[in-house]
Amino acid sequence: LPAPSKSTVHPEFLSRRYEGADVPVQNPSFAEFTARLDAAGVKVFDPAPALAAMDGPPAYLATDTHWTPEAAVRTAQALAELLSREPGIGRSAETRYTATEVSVTNTGDVAAMLKLPGVEGFYAPESVTLRQIRDSDGALWQPDHTADILFLGDSFSNIYSLAGMGFG
């Protein structure tokens, strides 16, 4: 699951020449990259088309390079749909999960990366509503190191889990 950058899904924010452009706007070598992975037996799920087609809230935080919680949910739903069609991959009935909504406010990573004095005056904090996932015992969800699927993620997969990311 290659995490598309904000400029892939919303190129119009970078240049007016992309207003009304077909999205997502991919790197010219992306198709070859995914074809090579497929030829090697590596399944690739590209969430960019699903993110570009989102109605309602934007796919990316206003002052951050990361997805909104809605985009993360949309990506997870689209990936789950794809995986549900794969032979041998089923839904585990062992654990039931509940979701609790929590509001979090932070200034995005763009403002932090600029490291300008007084940057807070230029970028207002952004509030998002997260879904904290808990298991049947009430404990916060944790990765399962024995799972059949390996999800290699970066900040896109843990922005809402890690305190150091500001939204976790």
Side-chain angles (χ1 to χ4, degrees):
L1 188 150
S5 69
K6 196 174 193 174
S7 60
T8 298
V9 176
H10 294 296
E12 71 277 11
F13 294 143
L14 295 176
S15 172
R16 283 190 211 138
R17 73 179 177 163
Y18 287 107
E19 289 177 5
D22 289 336
V23 290
V25 176
Q26 291 286 10
N27 181 305
S29 65
F30 186 73
E32 179 183 350
F33 169 70
T34 57
R36 285 183 178 196
L37 287 171
D38 185 57
V42 177
K43 295 192 180 298
V44 176
F45 169 68
D46 177 17
L51 295 176
M54 279 181 60
D55 289 329
Y60 291 81
L61 296 164
T63 62
D64 200 286
T65 58
H66 295 92
W67 297 333
T68 58
E70 294 82 8
V73 167
R74 176 71 183 104
T75 299
Q77 289 170 336
L79 180 59
E81 170 64 27
L82 175 76
L83 292 174
S84 71
R85 297 189 304 261
E86 288 294 318
I89 297 178
R91 181 177 279 233
S92 172
E94 296 173 19
T95 306
R96 298 280 182 216
Y97 296 99
T98 59
T100 304
E101 290 190 351
V102 177
S103 182
V104 178
T105 302
N106 189 36
T107 303
D109 66 353
V110 172
M113 287 188 287
L114 289 174
K115 296 183 182 180
L116 298 173
V119 74
E120 302 82 21
F122 294 110
Y123 297 103
E126 185 169 8
S127 294
V128 296
T129 301
L130 310 179
R131 291 192 229 172
Q132 283 187 341
I133 307 300
R134 296 181 181 275
D135 65 20
S136 56
D137 294 329
L140 286 172
W141 176 88
Q142 294 293 317
D144 179 355
H145 301 285
T146 64
D148 293 332
I149 297 172
L150 174 63
F151 179 72
L152 298 175
D154 62 1
S155 57
F156 281 91
S157 65
N158 62 23
I159 182 175
Y160 301 113
S161 304
L162 297 177
M165 296 293 298
F167 285 100

